[in-house]
Amino acid sequence: DQQVKQNSPSLSVQEGRISILNCDYTNSMFDYFLWYKKYPAEGPTFLISISSIKDKNEDGRFTVFLNKSAKHLSLHIVPSQPGDSAVYFCAVYNQGGKLIFGQGTELSVKP
Amino acid sequence: ETGVTQSPTHLIKTRGQQVTLRCSSQSGHNTVSWYQQALGQGPQFIFQYYREEENGRGNFPPRFSGLQFPNYSSELNVNALELDDSALYLCASNLRGSGAYNEQFFGPGTRLTVL
């Protein structure tokens, strides 16, 4: 059973526009959520996180929104840049303190 | 400060063989986690080691085993390789401290192909 789901395998946006990546989770007990970015031939790198006591966290062009009632989080990138093209993973820490990842969304930002 | 490194970069094995993958944690980190990333999927947690002891395990059979050494480097061993073991294997390290959630730093991975 997939506890963390990213239903869009890919997303293509124009440079300068907003990119919105979505993630759903099943367990209401999850309380810490992260986004990782992965380039080919590199390991995932941490991007931004949010605790369940918040509904929004911003870091420069990146904002994560958390909707606990819907068990949904999203990552907004504004404005999108070609260098943002990568695979983005949503992840949560389970009760044992271990990371559970979604399947990933491949973002392509066109110049 | 040295990041997480993994060796080898690529590896090809045949079914039934055994493989050892290696990871060198980021300096100062005392916890290492291993993940398997199949094609088109997200990383799946295999197990974690803290101070040389296993500290949690995902849904992987016993033929996946690991070690963490006093210098916090780590090995992942897989016995009796199967075709489905073909994947990218990622190692991540972090400093386990007072906080519940400590950022994990990933290595570039080892691409294992089982023929």
Side-chain angles (χ1 to χ4, degrees), chain A residues 2-102:
Chain A
Q2 193 76 28
Q3 297 184 69
V4 180
K5 294 181 186 179
Q6 293 175 257
N7 291 318
S8 299
S10 62
L11 175 67
S12 182
V13 300
Q14 210 61 33
E15 181 179 6
R17 308 295 284 267
I18 184 170
S19 296
I20 300 176
L21 297 98
N22 294 302
C23 177
D24 297 296
Y25 59 95
T26 58
N27 191 336
S28 57
M29 298 297 290
F30 290 152
D31 61 3
Y32 199 78
F33 308 86
L34 310 90
W35 285 93
Y36 277 83
K37 175 168 135 177
K38 186 179 185 303
Y39 293 116
E42 294 183 14
T45 55
F46 169 75
L47 193 56
I48 192 169
S49 63
I50 188 167
S51 163
S52 61
I53 63 173
K54 294 185 172 184
D55 54 19
K56 177 181 173 182
N57 188 28
E58 278 184 85
D59 184 2
R61 297 184 297 112
F62 303 90
T63 303
V64 57
F65 294 92
L66 176 62
N67 182 333
K68 290 184 288 291
S69 60
K71 298 196 198 71
H72 177 85
L73 68 158
S74 60
L75 174 69
H76 293 209
I77 307 173
V78 183
S80 301
Q81 299 173 354
D84 296 329
S85 297
V87 178
Y88 289 79
F89 292 102
C90 166
V92 304
Y93 273 105
N94 69 5
Q95 285 80 358
K98 309 303 183 284
L99 276 176
I100 304 173
F101 285 85

Side-chain angles (χ1 to χ4, degrees), chain A residues 38 42 44 87 89 102-103, chain B residues 35-44 46 60 86-90 111:
Chain A
K38 186 179 185 303
E42 294 183 14
V87 178
F89 292 102
Q103 307 96 309
Chain B
Y35 296 84
Q36 180 195 68
Q37 186 183 2
L39 202 60
Q41 300 296 316
Q44 282 201 57
I46 303 175
F60 281 83
S86 295
L88 179 69
Y89 288 84
L90 295 161
R111 173 72 61 188

Side-chain angles (χ1 to χ4, degrees), chain B residues 56-69:
Chain B
R57 187 178 184 93
N59 190 25
F60 281 83
R63 58 190 186 83
F64 285 77
S65 63
L67 282 173
Q68 186 184 30
F69 300 101

Side-chain angles (χ1 to χ4, degrees), chain B residues 5 7 11-12 16 28 30 40 45 48 56 67 69 71-72 75 80 83 85 87 89 100 106:
Chain B
T5 59
S7 62
L11 200 52
I12 299 175
N30 56 15
F45 174 72
Q48 183 180 87
L67 282 173
F69 300 101
N71 65 354
Y72 301 128
E75 286 182 358
L83 297 179
D85 296 334
Y89 288 84
F106 283 81

